[in-house]
Amino acid sequence: MSRIRLSLAAAALLASVALPHVAHALTKPELVEYLKAVDERQKNQGDWRSMIYMEQKEKGKVDVAYEALVFRRSQDQKFIILFTQPKASQGQGYLRIDKNLWFYDPSVGKWERRTERERIGGTNSRRSDFDESRLAEEYDPEDNGEVKLGTYTAQVMTLHGKPDIDLAFPTLKLWVDKESKNILKREEYALSGRLLRTSFYSKWKKIYSESKKGDTWYPGEMRFYDEVEKANSTLIVIKGVDTKALEANQFTKAWLESKSR
Amino acid sequence: MTNLFLDFRIALRSLFQHRRRTLFLVSAISLVTGLLVLLNALSTGISETMIRAATTLSSGHVNVGGFFKVTSSQCGPIVTEYDKVVKVVEANVPEMAHWVHRGRGWAKVIADSGSVQAGVTGIDISNEPDFKRTLTIVSGNIDDLSQPNTMLIFESQVERLKVKVGDAVTLSAQTNRGAANTVDCRIVAIAKDMGLMSKFGTFVPVETTRSLYQLRPDTTGVVQLYLRPQYVKDVTAIAARLRNTLEKAGYRVMDPDANPFWMKFQTVNREDWTGQKLDVTTWEDEVSFLTWTLKVLSVLKLVLLTILIAIVVTGIMNTMWIAIRERTREIGTLRAIGMQRGGILRLFLFESFQMGVIGTVAGAAGGSLVAVLLNMANIKVPLGVQLFLMSDHLHLAVHLSALLGAGFMITLITTLAALYPAYRAARLPPVSAMSHFG
């Protein structure tokens, strides 16, 4: 009997030492709240202007680099990417209005309707990479525990696309910094379950947003690695962020066309 | 009748008497006929190769394809409940010999050493005897396409992907709802190139396309109708009739657009409708981006032929004028001993006709021989030319009807060219003709 008591005491002692390091599994509502917090940090709730630099490396091809301006308006989810460099791409742009993504090429003067999953400028980046985060609206999270990612302690979760929403990636896996709630790493999976793209968010920056009346966080640098064509990667740098109100008529085809005249 | 035969013999003798002149004219006629035969053989060869490649790789003689739009901005090349469409087709196209259905799509084919964007066609290999017969397999076994997640590619793709039979590749595409998806396939056969269309075409079992694009079993990409040979020339009329029939059966049918299905995505995406619309096309529509080569060749043939015929006609008329001038006294003598004007007319027309017959026979034989020799030489054409020829080798098709047509046309023209000089010869007064010194 005393041996049993001794064993129980030892187990209790061990548990008291070990438990602070083993996080309890998050419940579904807790995870949803967690995801909402991730989204909330990146939300601007107003207008947004930034400059992006994109660099695409592909096996057997010359590296391609673009500079573009991104404009977005939170209230009606409008969005523009206007290419400024290289010269051959100047004036080309994407416009998202009424949940449709359009592409304009000034050399032919035509608008083409594109899918939301369009690879921007042929790189491995998509429109959603430059837009506000809507993870909690689009996905149901599942807890995968905590891991150490370098010096960060990351909450890992698998996100499954909600049934009635069309998503480019039906399954995601996120590594979120426990402390800041910034995304550190993201894996995107195909319907078949195959890993397609891994993204690393190495620099998070913040800007005060008048419309939000608080700080808005954005990734200063993103690196996308193609997991099917292993040698392909994309670097995105976001800079020159400005949250001042944009012109009322900016999110129109006419405005984008005027930029190439 | 005896007179006619006599005139014919006199004309023939006259030809032999003026050998040098006859030889020169017959050679010219022969050259023009030979060139016409070769040009016909080339355009027929290209046309036949094009039909063969098109109806093997990407089209039936008539196709019932279409688009399904989940939202107004997302469309896929899909025919839903295709068995019902087939029933309408079977009841209304008696000219049809058989039909097949194929999956349609576009995907990135990724291997360890490279990747290509390619059209992915889903086929049921057990139901495609023509496909098996037309393709030349250089490696692997085409029947293995009956196994799930297998793939047939062409030689030119092997160069880019650096793969061989047995290697695995990944197909990466978006479903019609826009979700990313992949399927791993094993290469089971490598086929010899068939021109431009094989550069961007791959074949997988139809179940693989359904799996890649997450489609139901009752969907397909296109129903391809193959007509009995005698009706192939009527494809446009049959397609128009089928369009009406399908509309009457309650289907929404797209307006006729002579373009391949993959060139219609932009147009369809711009339109604000959702659901299913069928699209009836012919093989010519599906390769319309290439048939301009045939049109260019036809125009070229016409221009060349006009110039050559003009030269021959001028040559014949000139030669006849010279002959009449040289033989004026002979004409006068013939008229004096009782030959009527009609006889003189016939004499010169027969001469020209005989030269036409000899020249066209020689030209047709020569042209056919050159065509046969070129086919036997199996001449490989450069890549740029392959795109237009739809084949990596030069193929000339000589048909008896084309030979007879060319022969008849050139003989008729040469005979008619002699009509006016012969008429003038017949009008010569016998007395002045006999006293002519020239």
Side-chain angles (χ1 to χ4, degrees):
Chain A
M1 192 65 183
S2 63
R3 188 175 287 176
I4 293 168
R5 273 186 192 159
L6 195 64
S7 300
L8 283 172
L13 183 67
L14 195 66
S16 68
V17 175
L19 272 179
H21 300 283
V22 181
H24 77 283
L26 295 173
T27 62
K28 181 82 183 285
E30 282 175 327
L31 276 170
V32 172
E33 286 307 311
Y34 208 106
L35 215 49
K36 279 182 181 168
V38 170
D39 287 343
E40 188 54 36
R41 282 175 70 79
Q42 296 175 57
K43 278 218 165 80
N44 177 44
Q45 294 165 3
D47 288 352
W48 173 279
R49 181 192 194 278
S50 65
M51 208 275 279
I52 54 170
Y53 169 79
M54 297 189 278
E55 190 181 280
Q56 171 80 3
K57 290 178 188 291
E58 272 190 61
K59 192 181 177 183
K61 289 186 185 171
V62 181
D63 292 357
V64 183
Y66 295 101
E67 269 185 16
L69 295 170
V70 172
F71 304 95
R72 63 187 207 213
R73 179 162 287 158
S74 303
Q75 64 202 53
D76 41 15
Q77 297 183 13
K78 284 176 180 166
F79 181 91
I80 284 177
I81 296 179
L82 171 65
F83 287 89
T84 54
Q85 291 291 341
K87 207 163 183 166
S89 303
Q90 261 174 17
Q92 289 180 351
Y94 293 91
L95 168 67
R96 186 183 194 266
I97 39 171
D98 304 325
K99 294 191 176 177
N100 289 314
L101 186 67
W102 296 88
F103 175 73
Y104 178 69
D105 186 350
S107 62
V108 288
K110 264 183 159 180
W111 285 91
E112 288 176 4
R113 201 179 228 163
R114 296 289 175 92
T115 159
E116 284 278 318
R117 271 63 63 171
E118 166 97 353
R119 287 167 171 250
I120 301 298
T123 68
N124 203 2
S125 65
R126 287 164 182 82
R127 184 196 61 81
S128 55
D129 294 321
F130 307 105
D131 208 348
E132 287 187 353
S133 178
R134 296 186 187 92
L135 293 169
E137 284 173 40
E138 297 170 344
Y139 290 92
D140 285 324
E142 176 192 322
D143 186 25
N144 294 144
E146 281 177 24
V147 293
K148 274 281 187 190
L149 205 63
T151 55
Y152 298 97
T153 303
Q155 169 68 46
V156 186
M157 55 183 100
T158 301
L159 309 185
H160 302 285
K162 288 183 178 173
D164 298 326
I165 300 177
D166 293 335
L167 299 162
F169 302 106
T171 307
L172 303 179
K173 200 167 178 182
L174 288 186
W175 282 255
V176 181
D177 180 16
K178 278 206 79 163
E179 198 179 317
S180 67
K181 302 258 187 324
N182 286 330
I183 297 170
L184 300 171
K185 181 183 169 185
R186 171 171 156 146
E187 287 181 349
E188 289 148 350
Y189 294 83
L191 275 170
S192 60
R194 178 164 186 154
L195 176 59
L196 294 176
R197 189 178 84 159
T198 301
S199 314
F200 291 98
Y201 302 80
S202 50
K203 286 179 191 164
W204 281 90
K205 293 179 177 175
K206 67 176 178 182
I207 184 167
Y208 182 76
S209 167
E210 198 59 51
S211 48
K212 188 181 179 183
K213 304 283 181 216
D215 288 337
T216 293
W217 288 78
Y218 65 93
E221 188 177 300
M222 299 182 272
R223 287 178 187 272
F224 305 130
Y225 294 93
D226 194 321
E227 297 292 352
V228 186
E229 285 184 270
K230 291 282 186 185
N232 299 354
S233 66
T234 305
L235 165 70
I236 308 284
V237 177
I238 300 176
K239 50 192 175 184
V241 176
D242 190 344
T243 56
K244 285 195 199 92
L246 299 166
E247 291 170 43
N249 67 343
Q250 182 150 341
F251 296 90
T252 57
K253 288 182 177 179
W255 185 88
L256 196 56
E257 283 172 21
S258 72
K259 291 294 143 187
S260 56
R261 283 192 203 116
Chain B
M1 192 65 191
T2 320
N3 277 352
L4 270 179
F5 187 65
L6 188 68
D7 293 348
F8 196 84
R9 280 180 61 191
I10 294 171
L12 196 62
R13 281 186 182 181
S14 175
L15 281 185
F16 279 103
Q17 253 182 349
H18 304 91
R19 278 196 198 94
R20 279 178 66 186
R21 195 180 67 210
T22 307
L23 199 67
F24 170 74
L25 276 176
V26 166
S27 303
I29 295 165
S30 166
L31 188 71
V32 171
T33 313
L35 274 171
L36 180 63
V37 166
L38 276 175
L39 279 171
N40 268 335
L42 184 66
S43 67
T44 311
I46 292 173
S47 177
E48 282 180 358
T49 312
M50 206 177 266
I51 295 178
R52 190 174 62 100
T55 54
T56 301
L57 298 181
S58 68
S59 174
H61 293 123
V62 178
N63 310 291
V64 184
F67 295 89
F68 190 89
K69 293 181 80 168
V70 182
T71 64
S72 56
S73 62
Q74 277 179 221
C75 72
I78 297 166
V79 178
T80 52
E81 297 181 320
Y82 73 92
D83 47 341
K84 290 181 183 168
V85 175
V86 168
K87 275 180 190 157
V88 176
V89 169
E90 280 177 332
N92 291 283
V93 187
E95 301 91 341
M96 185 172 74
H98 69 283
W99 61 272
V100 298
H101 75 96
R102 288 182 177 179
R104 280 173 165 176
W106 186 257
K108 195 165 193 181
V109 184
I110 304 155
D112 288 341
S113 305
S115 64
V116 290
Q117 289 283 354
V120 180
T121 305
I123 57 168
D124 175 4
I125 195 66
S126 62
N127 199 26
E128 296 257 12
D130 290 343
F131 179 78
K132 280 165 68 174
R133 202 168 35 244
T134 313
L135 256 63
T136 308
I137 301 298
V138 291
S139 178
N141 183 2
I142 195 167
D143 288 318
D144 287 347
L145 272 178
S146 58
Q147 297 166 22
N149 296 343
T150 50
M151 192 176 204
L152 177 145
I153 59 172
F154 290 87
E155 275 180 318
S156 54
Q157 292 158 356
V158 170
E159 287 166 24
R160 285 183 284 172
L161 291 170
K162 294 182 178 60
V163 289
K164 57 184 186 305
V165 167
D167 286 353
V169 292
T170 300
L171 292 182
S172 177
Q174 284 182 358
T175 68
N176 294 308
R177 300 199 77 94
N181 200 14
T182 61
V183 168
D184 290 334
C185 286
R186 179 170 52 90
I187 292 168
V188 292
I190 295 166
K192 204 169 161 47
D193 279 345
M194 288 182 73
L196 177 67
M197 296 174 84
S198 54
K199 299 269 179 273
F200 307 102
T202 61
F203 290 87
V204 297
V206 72
E207 292 77 17
T208 302
T209 47
R210 287 194 184 119
S211 161
L212 183 61
Y213 299 104
Q214 297 284 294
L215 302 173
R216 294 201 315 241
D218 63 350
T219 60
T220 192
V222 61
V223 178
Q224 298 183 178
L225 323 183
Y226 293 90
L227 307 176
R228 292 194 194 91
Q230 67 268 34
Y231 298 113
V232 171
K233 63 182 188 310
D234 305 325
V235 284
T236 311
I238 294 169
R241 197 182 72 219
L242 187 56
R243 230 173 257 126
N244 286 334
T245 309
L246 286 165
E247 267 176 340
K248 280 178 192 159
Y251 289 98
R252 286 193 294 171
V253 182
M254 289 167 60
D255 292 333
D257 178 6
N259 278 308
F261 83 95
W262 48 266
M263 284 174 83
K264 295 176 183 172
F265 278 90
Q266 275 306 323
T267 317
V268 173
N269 268 337
R270 269 197 294 269
E271 294 168 353
D272 280 320
W273 53 269
T274 53
Q276 175 79 66
K277 267 195 183 183
L278 295 180
D279 185 26
V280 180
T281 60
T282 66
W283 75 268
E284 285 165 320
D285 299 338
E286 295 294 334
V287 292
S288 58
F289 59 106
L290 291 170
T291 46
W292 65 269
T293 52
L294 282 179
K295 286 171 191 155
V296 169
L297 203 65
S298 297
V299 172
L300 200 70
K301 193 169 75 178
L302 192 73
V303 170
L304 203 63
L305 199 69
T306 310
I307 294 169
L308 289 172
I309 285 175
I311 292 169
V312 166
V313 166
T314 314
I316 285 176
M317 284 181 81
N318 271 335
T319 314
M320 283 293 165
W321 285 124
I322 294 165
I324 289 163
R325 196 172 175 76
E326 282 174 1
R327 291 156 62 188
T328 305
R329 293 184 71 189
E330 183 190 322
I331 293 165
T333 311
L334 285 169
R335 292 280 283 120
I337 60 172
M339 186 178 263
Q340 297 299 308
R341 280 179 180 166
I344 299 292
L345 185 84
R346 279 198 301 275
L347 209 62
F348 283 98
L349 284 182
F350 276 147
E351 273 188 37
S352 192
F353 171 76
Q354 285 160 359
M355 280 193 294
V357 170
I358 299 166
T360 51
V361 167
S368 306
L369 185 70
V370 172
V372 169
L373 289 175
L374 285 172
N375 279 344
M376 280 169 67
N378 210 17
I379 297 167
K380 188 155 186 169
V381 293
L383 182 67
V385 185
Q386 279 181 35
L387 306 183
F388 307 118
L389 289 185
M390 302 280 294
S391 168
D392 52 350
H393 287 87
L394 191 67
H395 169 65
L396 292 102
V398 182
H399 294 298
L400 186 64
S401 57
L403 290 180
L404 291 174
F408 176 76
M409 190 179 78
I410 302 285
T411 306
L412 184 72
I413 288 169
T414 51
T415 310
L416 290 178
L419 195 61
Y420 186 60
Y423 172 75
R424 290 295 300 271
R427 300 282 296 173
L428 281 174
V431 178
S432 62
M434 282 181 74
S435 60
H436 178 79
F437 292 95

